[in-house]
Amino acid sequence: MMVQAGLIIAVTAAVFNFGVIHESNGSVSHRFVLHNDNATAVRICQTYPSCECTTIACDTGWVAPHDSVAVDVTFAPYNRGGDFYETASLVVASQSDTAVVRLTIEGTVVTSAETLMKQYPVRRGNLRLTADTLNMGEVRRGE
């Protein structure tokens, strides 16, 4: 439950972990449910994803007292191998108060072979590199 500026918004779980996902399987989504625990109606005024890889879909109409609204947060794993931690911030308002609700998605992306080849095009045995040369600056003998 989140209490801010007099508004009470309940979220069963504000953090969702996708675990290990594969980039080649495409986007993943999770549905969060926000519950209006106030005596007055509230609405989601604005949404702010933490990056371009995250989108937020929800009803922005008024939510009656003690009613709920679903918020779908989608993560696009393309070119984002490794661990991720993204947030979806929602500005929730009543007639007199405003609050920010933060929802979090996290997990680990297994990069596709195609993305790996784009990011590290040079192969040396079992090692992949971004370039086939390494600039070590000026190296002087004996120093």
Side-chain angles (χ1 to χ4, degrees), residues 52-114:
E52 294 175 355
C53 62
T54 307
T55 57
I56 306 164
C58 61
D59 183 1
T60 55
W62 288 96
V63 180
H66 310 292
D67 201 359
S68 299
V69 62
V71 178
D72 294 318
V73 180
T74 301
F75 174 73
Y78 309 108
N79 298 319
R80 299 194 180 278
D83 294 338
F84 68 92
Y85 178 90
E86 303 299 337
T87 59
S89 299
L90 312 168
V91 178
V92 180
S94 67
Q95 293 289 354
S96 58
D97 293 309
T98 302
V100 176
V101 175
R102 283 188 182 78
L103 306 173
T104 303
I105 55 172
E106 59 188 14
T108 303
V109 176
V110 176
T111 306
S112 71
E114 182 180 315

